[in-house]
Amino acid sequence: MSRVFNFSAGPAMMPLPVLKEIQAELLDYNGSGMSVMEMSHRSKVFQTIADEAEKDLRELMNIPDNYKVLFIQGGATLQFSMIPMNLCKNGVFDYIVTGAWSKKAATEAKKFGKVNIVATSQDKNFSYIPDCSDLPIDDDADYVYICENETIHGTTFKKLPNTKGKILVADQSSMFLSKPCNVKDYGMIYAGVQKNVGPAGLSIVIIREDLIRSDLPENTPVYLRYDTHSENGSMYNTPNCWAIYVCGKVFKYLKSLGGLEAMNKINEEKAAVLYDFLDKSKMFNGTVEKEYRSLMNVPFVTSSAESDAAVVAATKAAGFDNLKGHKSVGGLRASIYNAMPIEGVKALVDFLTKYEKENG
Ligand SMILES: *Cc1c(COP(=O)(O)O)cnc(C)c1O
């Protein structure tokens, strides 16, 4: 067996101890005589898996009792429309657009009401987070929306926006469980799990109870209503059992490492290795203003697209996979989520240092 250091933005690396546990349980889960992927979602054994996953997540994030945890399929993308459909009262939605993902979410919300872009960093190719301390929040805004960590552009909010009393909705897909989070500051948090937690095909929604409404328009598709998922323990239909099981394993693993405070420390240390290198390098340059740099997604460039491509090819040949930047921005990007060991980042920096010496 030979595993590469996988810098993919998602689906992304999983912790090796978790993969091994899953492997050991693959054919016979806990004496049930079957694999979790063969199990009825209505069985007691699976219900226990789902209950424990929720309980461990609640512990990790310290989720208050008046917030529901929902496991929904359709990826983070489905939430782009479920949010305006379910939170619409006045039909006015305020979006802060800081990169590709918040832009997509805003575009989708336009189908359901009036979208105000109350701040954006598009003027400088999304390389920073705008000042959000005094925004023109609409009196009628049903919510204020952010993508807290922009996976493609590599920016992150160091301070949450002042929403002037409106509820905050945050896409945390690429930073979920990377650091402590004060859930009370949000009306709703959601994340597609395939970036920082588990296998693709599952989104976790953490939503304040009073925002889950039953008075939605009658023609709202049943699957797209939060009350459907909430009233049925996320099992209105067959959920993504496998992803819930694997995420549950990851929650236990994160707890064993010391929880989110510990993860934050590890992630800060890890990102510093790469950013320190980029700050010193003459050949490689980070593309994000220092203050707003993501701990999870690190985009960087050389002087030309050709030399970017040459570096990507050289890293791949040396066992560092998926460093090609997103097609919309080019360059390179190292995604260094929770599961990427610091050894992987150090090895990459050693490789790039040598590459610069030989080619710079
Ligand atoms: C990947 C990603 C998405 C889209 O996730 P899907 O599960 O593919 O729909 C949305 N938002 C952010 C921040 C992402 O990183």
Side-chain angles (χ1 to χ4, degrees):
M1 182 189 75
S2 137
R3 284 177 58 81
V4 296
F5 287 121
N6 178 7
F7 291 87
S8 170
M13 239 176 138
M14 296 278 301
L16 193 55
V18 169
L19 291 178
K20 285 187 170 158
E21 256 184 63
I22 291 166
Q23 185 182 41
E25 292 173 351
L26 188 66
L27 303 185
D28 177 6
Y29 174 78
N30 202 14
S32 66
M34 59 180 89
S35 169
V36 173
M37 69 177 95
E38 302 170 298
M39 222 171 245
S40 164
H41 58 296
R42 307 286 177 206
S43 65
K44 208 170 154 202
V45 53
F46 184 75
Q47 188 64 55
T48 305
I49 291 172
D51 290 347
E52 263 189 51
E54 177 174 341
K55 182 174 133 291
D56 286 329
L57 179 64
R58 283 185 175 277
E59 263 180 60
L60 269 175
M61 291 184 75
N62 211 355
I63 300 174
D65 288 343
N66 64 328
Y67 284 74
K68 290 277 187 199
V69 173
L70 309 176
F71 298 111
I72 304 178
Q73 304 190 53
T77 300
L78 185 60
Q79 297 308 313
F80 296 170
S81 39
M82 277 183 81
I83 289 162
M85 285 173 101
N86 282 268
L87 303 186
C88 179
K89 271 189 185 149
N90 302 323
V92 179
F93 319 123
D94 284 0
Y95 278 70
I96 298 172
V97 173
T98 51
W101 290 115
S102 45
K103 197 173 176 184
K104 270 196 166 174
T107 302
E108 192 68 8
K110 281 181 195 153
K111 296 174 182 170
F112 303 95
K114 177 173 170 242
V115 168
N116 302 311
I117 307 297
V118 290
T120 178
S121 51
Q122 188 151 17
D123 59 333
K124 291 187 192 159
N125 196 26
F126 299 124
S127 59
Y128 69 103
I129 299 288
D131 178 1
C132 296
S133 58
D134 184 17
L135 299 174
I137 303 294
D138 198 308
D139 282 342
D140 285 336
D142 290 322
Y143 59 85
V144 177
Y145 182 100
I146 59 170
C147 174
E148 200 167 335
N149 186 84
E150 284 281 0
T151 322
I152 293 173
H153 290 89
T155 54
T156 204
F157 281 78
K158 294 285 154 76
K159 193 168 173 274
L160 293 178
N162 173 4
T163 63
K164 302 187 176 170
K166 303 296 181 191
I167 57 165
L168 180 63
V169 174
D171 177 356
Q172 288 196 347
S173 295
S174 50
M175 59 171 288
F176 196 57
L177 305 181
S178 67
K179 62 175 195 178
C181 165
N182 190 12
V183 176
K184 279 209 261 332
D185 292 341
Y186 306 78
M188 173 178 155
I189 295 166
Y190 75 98
V193 302
Q194 76 275 24
K195 307 292 164 66
N196 208 17
V197 192
L202 176 68
S203 280
I204 295 178
V205 170
I206 301 166
I207 181 169
R208 220 173 61 202
E209 263 167 2
D210 60 290
L211 301 174
I212 301 176
R213 289 169 41 201
S214 53
D215 61 341
L216 295 173
E218 293 235 339
N219 65 350
T220 310
V222 65
Y223 195 79
L224 304 187
R225 307 174 56 122
Y226 291 130
D227 60 339
T228 301
H229 297 278
S230 168
E231 282 164 17
N232 292 282
S234 299
M235 292 200 207
Y236 173 75
N237 69 335
T238 318
N240 187 334
C241 301
W242 180 254
I244 293 170
Y245 159 69
V246 176
C247 287
K249 291 268 177 218
V250 172
F251 301 154
K252 284 197 192 301
Y253 177 67
L254 296 180
K255 278 172 70 181
S256 79
L257 294 180
L260 302 190
E261 296 278 356
M263 287 323 298
N264 186 42
K265 202 158 159 274
I266 295 168
N267 287 327
E268 279 184 346
E269 209 182 316
K270 212 161 62 183
V273 173
L274 187 48
Y275 283 124
D276 286 350
F277 165 73
L278 293 175
D279 289 344
K280 286 190 197 113
S281 167
K282 294 209 164 58
M283 185 177 206
F284 300 100
N285 294 295
T287 56
V288 173
E289 287 181 23
K290 276 189 190 176
E291 217 182 318
Y292 311 107
R293 296 197 290 207
S294 168
L295 292 186
M296 300 280 102
N297 310 98
V298 183
F300 56 102
V301 293
T302 64
S303 55
S304 73
E306 294 86 76
S307 84
D308 289 343
V311 180
V312 171
T315 51
K316 184 156 173 73
F320 306 98
D321 213 347
N322 288 311
L323 280 158
K324 191 167 184 281
H326 190 270
K327 58 184 186 298
S328 64
V329 290
L332 295 98
R333 171 177 51 165
S335 293
I336 50 175
Y337 298 121
N338 281 351
M340 171 61 70
I342 193 162
E343 292 72 32
V345 179
K346 284 183 176 160
L348 175 66
V349 164
D350 286 347
F351 180 84
L352 294 177
T353 305
K354 190 160 155 273
Y355 187 92
E356 181 168 355
K357 259 195 203 119
E358 290 165 0
N359 300 277

